[in-house]
Amino acid sequence: MIVDYLIVGAGFTGAVLAERIANEFDKKVLIVDRRLHIGGNAYDEYDEYGVLIHRYGPHIFHTSSKRVFDYLSRFTEWYPYYHRVQAVIEGKPIPIPFSLASIRMLFSQKLAEKLEEKLITHFGYGSRIPILKLKEIQDPDLSFLADYIYRNVFEGYTLKQWGLRPEDLSPSVTGRVPILVSYDQRYFQDPYQVMPKKGYTALFRRMLQHPNISILLGANWKEIEGEISFNRLIFTGRIDEFFNHLHGPLPYRSLSFRFENYPQPWFQEVGQVNYPNEYLFTRITEFKYLTGQNFLPYTTVAYEYPEVYDPSKNEPYYPIPRDENEERLKLYQKEAAKLKTVLFAGRLADYRYYNMDQAVARALKLFEGLTR
Ligand code: FAD
Ligand code: UDP
């Protein structure tokens, strides 16, 4: 088989590039994926109860990029959705990100007022403070608050999720969920917070529907490498796997999901409830909130159990952002730079903790640099 572009991986990165190349360059693209479906980790499907579930964990779309939003809007209509999250702290469901509203629910009025005033004076109303930054502040009341939030929200959750303490990861990891000096109870603050009306897989189907695009599923790149001639290869899988672990494996973190259906309309108060301090799972997500299937009499939820990544058993869901891994990544990036016809992009190939919109933005940027 001869194609202009061979793309490994049918997730957001591969699909955006396939669509752009097929439409704008009018070139033939073959997209291969080892899984039996398109969509990568954003893949969704209906379970046996008719609930639209996310097979590889809950995916909530949010972006501050108008460009990414406009681009994806060509392939889907949207369902407006503000994700709400609670964490069970001292047995009570408390809004996350931790905010002034959370303080009010946990402390006496007098203490809450004092902490609120200190936070506003110190940082300004509307600020977003990463927990590791808050911990550095030299003020007895704010230190008390920082320690409280660290112990009750971040420490246990992070140990479960990563097998590491918050300070042993890049500060950007816990910085994804900053303390909000406001009463905003949304998990994200981006201007665009929407879900694809018919789901992600339907969005991908529309994106990849083009006579220039062929799709080969259930095919590992390594196994078909010799059978396809191409001018260029775009690789969105693990960069260390591509180079046969030449510089040692890059570590990843994995998860297993337990899906449960309950014969009742709703299971919990909000889309996601985190359990930083109890149980082996980190969180429970109830899909109907995300998809708007309010009319169904049943509900399906996913429990997430963090796991060590083992290529023979599970999936490399998360790159692990920390200095020593960045050093190893650089060695692989040097190898990648030597290859003139192979391009690397995506959460696994860039080894970056991208959200979907960042994966799309990365792919659009890569495309801009391509010549016919
Ligand atoms: P992927 O979606 O991982 O796609 C890569 C594809 O390449 C896979 O399908 C894989 O099978 C295939 N592949 C890899 N190696 C090979 C090979 N050798 N041969 C053939 N095929 C191969 N983002 C958000 O914006 N909001 C969220 O709420 C959110 N929640 C998430 C929850 C979880 C549990 C996870 C793991 C991720 C979440 N994300 C979320 C991130 C989102 O999944 C990624 O940003 C996005 O999927 C990245 O797209 P990608 O194409 O780079 O990678
Ligand atoms: N986190 C935490 N407690 C929470 C929520 C998040 O400790 O209640 C930390 C944890 O380290 C987690 C990180 O913040 O891995 C990022 O959280 P996010 O919800 O963005 O994770 P994702 O949805 O990508 O798994």
Side-chain angles (χ1 to χ4, degrees):
M1 187 172 192
I2 303 174
V3 291
D4 299 308
Y5 280 85
L6 173 63
I7 299 182
V8 178
F12 265 108
T13 308
V16 169
L17 281 156
E19 183 282 322
R20 291 286 71 206
I21 291 164
N23 270 302
E24 296 292 323
F25 289 176
D26 196 19
K27 298 267 189 197
K28 299 272 177 232
V29 181
L30 172 66
I31 184 162
V32 300
D33 202 298
R34 55 156 65 118
R35 290 175 176 166
L36 294 171
H37 56 74
I38 56 173
N41 284 339
Y43 172 73
D44 55 13
E45 63 183 347
Y46 290 90
D47 70 6
E48 60 188 295
Y49 306 95
V51 182
L52 184 59
I53 60 160
H54 299 171
R55 197 41 82 191
Y56 304 99
H59 278 66
I60 297 106
F61 187 81
H62 57 102
T63 188
S64 54
S65 165
K66 180 173 184 315
R67 182 184 188 213
V68 167
F69 175 74
D70 287 346
Y71 170 73
L72 291 177
S73 300
R74 297 182 203 173
F75 313 107
T76 185
E77 289 176 51
W78 300 103
Y79 164 71
Y81 173 65
Y82 289 120
H83 194 47
R84 298 275 295 257
V85 176
Q86 297 172 338
V88 177
I89 301 174
E90 298 176 4
K92 294 189 279 281
I94 302 297
I96 296 290
F98 202 95
S99 66
L100 301 179
S102 317
I103 290 179
R104 296 269 169 185
M105 290 171 77
L106 283 161
F107 304 121
S108 70
Q109 190 181 343
K110 196 167 159 221
L111 180 55
E113 279 170 6
K114 180 154 106 178
L115 293 170
E116 175 169 329
E117 198 197 313
K118 283 246 168 139
L119 280 171
I120 295 171
T121 312
H122 214 94
F123 300 105
Y125 191 87
S127 304
R128 300 155 54 83
I129 325 295
I131 182 61
L132 296 178
K133 277 264 166 289
L134 189 64
K135 275 193 100 206
E136 287 170 6
I137 303 298
Q138 304 282 328
D139 172 284
D141 296 316
L142 291 180
S143 288
F144 156 78
L145 181 66
D147 282 346
Y148 183 91
I149 301 173
Y150 181 87
R151 273 188 290 106
N152 286 289
V153 179
F154 288 98
E155 193 176 30
Y157 189 111
T158 304
L159 273 167
K160 271 196 269 187
Q161 172 71 8
W162 301 95
L164 292 167
R165 304 177 65 78
E167 52 283 14
D168 295 328
L169 286 153
S170 157
S172 61
V173 174
T174 43
R176 288 167 61 91
V177 190
I179 286 94
L180 303 183
V181 187
S182 73
Y183 283 88
D184 195 340
Q185 292 195 26
R186 302 168 304 167
Y187 200 56
F188 307 110
Q189 279 71 49
D190 303 88
Y192 302 97
Q193 302 191 38
V194 285
M195 295 291 287
K197 217 172 198 171
K198 294 191 174 154
Y200 290 101
T201 306
L203 182 162
F204 277 91
R205 247 185 249 120
R206 277 188 66 183
M207 206 185 246
L208 295 174
Q209 211 164 56
H210 193 286
N212 283 343
I213 302 178
S214 315
I215 303 173
L216 181 61
L217 296 173
N220 188 337
W221 143 253
K222 288 269 178 232
E223 287 156 19
I224 55 146
E225 198 177 355
E227 294 166 33
I228 296 158
S229 305
F230 51 86
N231 294 328
R232 275 191 156 171
L233 170 68
I234 299 177
F235 189 80
T236 79
R238 292 171 49 192
I239 189 167
D240 55 328
E241 184 189 318
F242 183 90
F243 290 107
N244 294 318
H245 310 295
L246 179 68
H247 299 294
L250 280 166
Y252 299 83
R253 191 71 176 160
S254 193
L255 293 170
S256 72
F257 302 100
R258 178 160 64 91
F259 294 90
E260 296 285 350
N261 182 273
Y262 298 108
Q264 60 199 56
W266 299 101
F267 179 74
Q268 56 193 27
E269 251 177 57
V270 292
Q272 180 184 321
V273 179
N274 293 354
Y275 292 85
N277 309 306
E278 296 91 12
Y279 308 116
L280 293 176
F281 51 84
T282 49
R283 56 188 181 188
I284 303 177
T285 305
E286 185 165 7
F287 290 103
K288 280 169 59 179
Y289 284 101
L290 281 53
T291 59
Q293 290 181 296
N294 302 348
F295 48 87
L296 291 176
Y298 302 124
T299 192
T300 303
V301 304
Y303 295 72
E304 291 179 48
Y305 295 85
E307 287 183 349
V308 170
Y309 171 55
D310 175 344
S312 65
K313 290 202 187 113
N314 52 25
E315 296 282 332
Y317 286 123
Y318 293 86
I320 305 178
R322 57 195 312 225
D323 291 346
E324 63 197 59
N325 302 340
E326 202 60 25
E327 290 309 310
R328 184 163 290 177
L329 171 66
K330 281 192 192 127
L331 299 176
Y332 282 111
Q333 286 171 334
K334 269 194 192 147
E335 301 297 332
K338 291 182 204 160
L339 304 178
K340 294 286 165 255
T341 54
V342 189
L343 295 163
F344 295 84
R347 179 148 150 149
L348 297 171
D350 288 333
Y351 198 71
R352 285 279 172 267
Y353 192 170
Y354 290 147
N355 292 324
M356 291 178 282
D357 64 323
Q358 294 170 308
V360 171
R362 163 74 170 119
L364 291 174
K365 187 126 188 73
L366 181 77
F367 176 72
E368 269 174 16
L370 292 181
T371 45
R372 268 165 206 264

